[in-house]
Amino acid sequence: MEIGQKVKVYRLRDRVSAPIAKKLGQVGVIQGYKVTDGQGIGVVVLFEDNSSTWFFEDEIKPV
């Protein structure tokens, strides 16, 4: 996946807060990457409401 690519959140691997859970099914744009604590690389996604959060690569799909 590349920066600037549109992606859709299709699953959440862990328990998350309600605001992040509401992102399930939404489309956003990859803004960058995040090194996680040994479980791989995270992807920072910016959404239409100007909020952003990171997801594991297996939680998002290109659209």
Side-chain angles (χ1 to χ4, degrees):
M1 300 206 189
E2 299 177 7
I3 293 175
Q5 184 176 7
K6 282 190 171 186
V7 293
K8 183 175 187 175
V9 180
Y10 78 97
R11 75 178 268 228
L12 298 172
R13 190 190 281 190
D14 299 317
R15 285 186 140 181
V16 294
S17 66
I20 294 174
K22 289 182 181 180
K23 302 299 181 196
L24 190 60
Q26 290 190 15
V27 174
V29 176
I30 296 177
Q31 289 277 280
Y33 302 98
K34 173 182 176 39
V35 177
T36 62
D37 61 354
Q39 294 190 18
I41 302 292
V43 180
V44 179
V45 179
L46 177 67
F47 295 96
E48 290 180 4
D49 64 359
N50 258 1
S51 66
S52 65
T53 191
W54 70 273
F55 299 93
F56 290 108
E57 286 190 29
D58 64 346
E59 296 178 316
I60 57 176
K61 288 186 179 180
V63 290

